[in-house]
Amino acid sequence: MSDCIFCKLANGEIPTEFLFEDDNVVAFRDTNPQAPVHVLVVPKAHYDNFVDGVPAETLASMEAAVRAVTERCGIAESGFRCIMNTGAAAGQTVMHLHMHVLGGCDLGEGLLPA
């Protein structure tokens, strides 16, 4: 999608530092962090949300990105939260599939980023 901010970030049209990249996904820090570690895992191809026919290879890449990012950011052992919102009623504000990876503090109830 030509006007999708996550497509532009994932494909390098808007510069950002990738913490992880493979053929299917990238991971980068959220510009409005809700925790000390707040990373977004974003497919390079556009999918509106989790139930938009996402190929198994992309989902596997998302899992690999979470593993790599949590190790790199030092939260693999202490614990972290992964969130994928689907649709506006669930809080999804960018209609491009993405996963929030949050950690680095006690993640009590009420922390639900869009």
Side-chain angles (χ1 to χ4, degrees):
M1 294 190 103
S2 62
D3 62 340
C4 175
I5 186 85
F6 281 178
C7 284
K8 291 177 180 179
L9 285 161
N11 293 300
E13 294 175 50
I14 298 173
T16 192
E17 178 189 355
F18 294 148
L19 301 177
F20 176 89
E21 180 176 15
D22 71 7
D23 291 341
N24 301 307
V25 305
V26 297
F28 51 87
R29 295 188 190 281
D30 194 297
T31 58
N32 184 28
Q34 303 298 305
V37 175
H38 188 165
V39 174
L40 300 176
V41 177
V42 178
K44 291 180 177 180
H46 185 90
Y47 305 98
D48 286 342
N49 55 51
F50 183 67
V51 294
D52 192 20
V54 183
E57 298 82 20
T58 298
L59 296 174
S61 286
M62 292 181 82
E63 185 272 331
V66 169
R67 187 175 347 100
V69 164
T70 58
E71 290 174 4
R72 179 174 178 173
C73 294
I75 61 172
E77 295 297 320
S78 61
F80 55 91
R81 181 178 293 172
C82 295
I83 300 170
M84 280 195 279
N85 298 319
T86 300
Q92 185 180 6
T93 58
V94 177
M95 298 307 161
H96 181 122
L97 172 64
H98 60 286
M99 179 188 302
H100 297 262
V101 180
L102 302 131
C105 66
D106 184 6
L107 295 169
E109 293 182 32
L111 184 62
L112 298 172

